[in-house]
Amino acid sequence: MSNTTRSAPALYGSEASTDEQRTALTSGEIPVAVYGLGKMGLPLASVYADVTGNVTGMDVDPAVVEGVNAGENHIVGEPGLSELVSEVVERGALSATTDGPAAAEAARIHVVIVPTLVDENSKPDLSVVESVMEQIASGLEAGDQVILESTVPPRTCRDVVAPLLAEESGLDREKFGVAFCPERTASGRAIEDIHGAYPKIVGGIDDESTRVAELIYGEINSQEIIPVSDATTAEAVKVFEGVYRDVNIALANELTKHAEELEISVLEAIQAANTQPFCDLHIPGAGVGGHCIPYYPHFLIQMFEADSRLMELSREINDTMPTYTAELALSGLTKHGKETEGSDVLVLGLTYRAGVDELRATPAVGVIERLTSAGANVTAVDPITDTHEPFEDVGAAVVSLDDARQRSYDAVVLVTAQEAFEDLEIPALAADDPLVVVDGRQALSELQNEHGIYYRGIGINA
């Protein structure tokens, strides 16, 4: 616990007018610490620095800290971020450190955006969040505000964060604020989203925590700030958003399999159905990946006793899609008299999403695993990522796009529609006719009627 009283003004419990508090925040009088400088944390810290002029970013990776202090952006694919990082560092609005307690000692506002891990059974693991909170507690003082942006199971702020901070700091719980303000950003548009592509949700463990969070994000976000009843409600909003998308995608994936029997394009049917304002069906695909949607349902399933059959079934359906995608290729080979054993298959796209170097829960692993288990020789390519081990571990040979062009294949499976694949002459890759093409992202539909191509498209005519 800190033994000093900071001269910087506080927002939590302040008797100053709202205008005076806003001026203190935006003039740099109130120091801010942002814990976690990853793909969402660095954009958030940079925007905070741009608005407040006084931010310390904390990260455990010395290379990240060194780069930020040099004005460098280590996040790929975020428009405007490199320029913003360089600008705020140059004017002294942002610096970085690996010393969490030192950052906490100096700050009045503490913003946490670190990963919530899951264990081998998909149960949420709050150890990283708790570790950061312990560092914050070492420098926490009366009047400080702690904001958690990391997605967590509902009740985390109430049952974990606030008690931990009070116990470790020695402060009475009523002496500091805790609020949950979920990040609502997507890779590739983080700055735009943080500045206000959507309303910002804020919810505190008490009314004063909510008020302070609303004031802070009123300066960060140009959209409406929506204060909800409490931190638990705010936590649930974020988890519910992810669950909605997972369940909706599962429905679309299940409808895809019905469309196969109906001999129709489910994508055409979905697009037509969505012209009705009460319908918002999502798009089927080769699988659901990333650090969000595949995990958020487990923040409810694993943590609470309420019936979760729909969420569990949706997870099961979406988890089957990589295998389903691979089976389309294998059945296509068999249909045309080609042995799956020893067949040559090219897998296009390894990241979970186009343009984003993120491999967590990527469906490409499951696709490759099923193909190699059937005896296929799998070549894989993705110009977005330099990480090959997860795919090599399940039997793929990962090559460059230029190398892939020099080879011939019995089947091509598109898992992720990277921009670089748009110029790829897929018919020229055929070892012989027909080349089996499985389109997992509705990106190769122009090949449906191409001579020498046997096309299977998830969501088109699967």
Side-chain angles (χ1 to χ4, degrees):
M1 182 178 71
S2 172
N3 293 317
T4 61
T5 300
R6 298 189 188 99
S7 59
L11 293 178
Y12 184 88
S14 172
E15 295 182 356
S17 70
T18 299
D19 286 344
E20 289 172 333
Q21 291 177 58
R22 286 180 178 139
T23 298
L25 176 67
T26 57
S27 68
E29 290 183 60
I30 301 177
V32 178
V34 177
Y35 304 82
L37 297 176
K39 66 178 185 176
M40 295 302 168
L42 182 57
L44 184 66
S46 300
V47 172
Y48 257 95
D50 193 35
V51 172
T52 72
N54 189 357
V55 173
T56 300
M58 181 269 166
D59 199 274
V60 296
D61 188 337
V64 167
V65 167
E66 182 179 354
V68 171
N69 283 330
E72 298 170 357
N73 162 38
H74 66 281
I75 308 299
V76 177
E78 284 296 345
L81 182 57
S82 293
E83 295 82 358
L84 182 58
V85 170
S86 176
E87 193 273 327
V88 293
V89 169
E90 184 176 355
R91 65 180 168 97
L94 175 65
S95 62
T97 181
T98 57
D99 191 338
E105 183 76 27
R108 276 301 203 175
I109 298 169
H110 309 266
V111 185
V112 178
I113 184 163
V114 296
T116 298
L117 306 177
V118 293
D119 64 18
E120 63 276 8
N121 297 314
S122 297
K123 185 174 181 179
D125 175 1
L126 294 172
S127 58
V128 176
V129 172
E130 291 172 339
S131 175
V132 171
M133 292 301 171
E134 289 171 355
Q135 295 180 62
I136 292 172
S138 71
L140 196 69
E141 287 199 2
D144 284 5
Q145 174 87 358
V146 178
I147 294 171
L148 181 59
E149 287 219 5
S150 309
T151 305
V152 291
R155 294 185 182 166
T156 295
C157 283
R158 188 192 77 179
D159 294 348
V160 178
V161 171
L164 185 155
L165 289 171
E167 180 178 356
E168 294 293 326
S169 70
L171 292 173
D172 291 339
R173 212 323 286 135
E174 296 77 13
K175 295 296 185 181
F176 60 90
V178 176
F180 185 77
C181 307
E183 59 93 357
R184 308 184 90 186
T185 58
S187 296
R189 48 174 296 151
I191 293 177
E192 177 185 359
D193 289 346
I194 293 166
H195 272 305
Y198 318 103
K200 185 69 174 180
I201 309 299
V202 301
I205 61 171
D206 53 36
D207 290 344
E208 178 66 357
S209 296
T210 302
R211 183 198 69 80
V212 172
E214 186 176 8
L215 185 147
I216 292 169
Y217 282 99
E219 300 303 314
I220 299 291
N221 188 297
S222 62
Q223 286 277 355
E224 177 187 8
I225 309 301
I226 302 177
V228 295
S229 297
D230 51 33
T232 301
T233 302
E235 291 163 337
V237 167
K238 177 62 176 180
V239 174
F240 286 6
E241 289 174 0
V243 168
Y244 164 77
R245 294 170 66 191
D246 197 43
V247 171
N248 199 318
I249 293 168
L251 175 59
N253 286 332
E254 191 162 272
L255 292 176
T256 292
K257 297 170 185 178
H258 282 272
E260 181 176 10
E261 188 172 345
L262 293 169
E263 298 181 343
I264 65 170
S265 165
V266 74
L267 185 63
E268 181 184 5
I270 285 173
Q271 290 172 338
N274 284 348
T275 61
Q276 211 275 2
F278 301 109
C279 188
D280 186 22
L281 288 166
H282 285 14
I283 302 302
V288 177
H291 66 284
C292 299
I293 299 178
Y295 300 101
Y296 292 171
H298 293 291
F299 290 10
L300 299 174
I301 294 169
Q302 300 278 358
M303 302 299 288
F304 301 97
E305 295 181 0
D307 193 339
S308 303
R309 284 177 293 171
L310 180 59
M311 289 183 279
E312 291 171 352
L313 180 58
S314 297
R315 279 281 74 239
E316 181 182 334
I317 290 169
N318 288 335
D319 282 345
T320 67
M321 290 308 293
T323 297
Y324 175 77
T325 302
E327 291 292 349
L328 291 178
L330 297 173
S331 64
L333 291 169
T334 301
K335 178 181 176 70
H336 292 92
K338 298 185 178 184
E339 295 288 336
T340 57
E341 181 77 33
S343 62
D344 293 307
V345 182
L346 174 64
V347 171
L348 295 173
L350 301 177
T351 65
Y352 92 94
R353 178 178 154 202
V356 177
D357 187 4
E358 169 66 70
L359 302 180
R360 195 171 178 188
T362 175
V365 170
V367 171
I368 293 168
E369 193 167 27
R370 177 64 189 106
L371 291 170
T372 56
S373 72
N377 301 316
V378 177
T379 301
V381 60
D382 194 319
I384 295 297
T385 184
D386 294 325
T387 304
H388 298 168
E389 290 82 1
F391 314 103
E392 293 171 342
D393 288 346
V394 291
V398 183
V399 302
S400 69
L401 186 53
D402 285 341
D403 284 344
R405 283 191 174 100
Q406 307 307 313
R407 308 183 186 191
S408 58
Y409 308 93
D410 300 299
V412 174
V413 180
L414 178 79
V415 177
T416 309
Q418 306 291 14
E419 185 177 353
F421 300 150
E422 293 177 4
D423 297 329
L424 185 62
E425 292 292 334
I426 289 178
L429 300 175
D432 53 48
D433 289 346
L435 175 65
V436 175
V437 174
V438 176
D439 181 3
R441 300 297 177 187
Q442 305 92 38
L444 305 174
S445 58
E446 72 277 4
L447 298 177
Q448 287 182 83
N449 301 312
E450 182 87 17
H451 177 72
I453 298 291
Y454 175 68
Y455 177 90
R456 307 295 304 279
I458 294 177
I460 297 180
N461 67 341

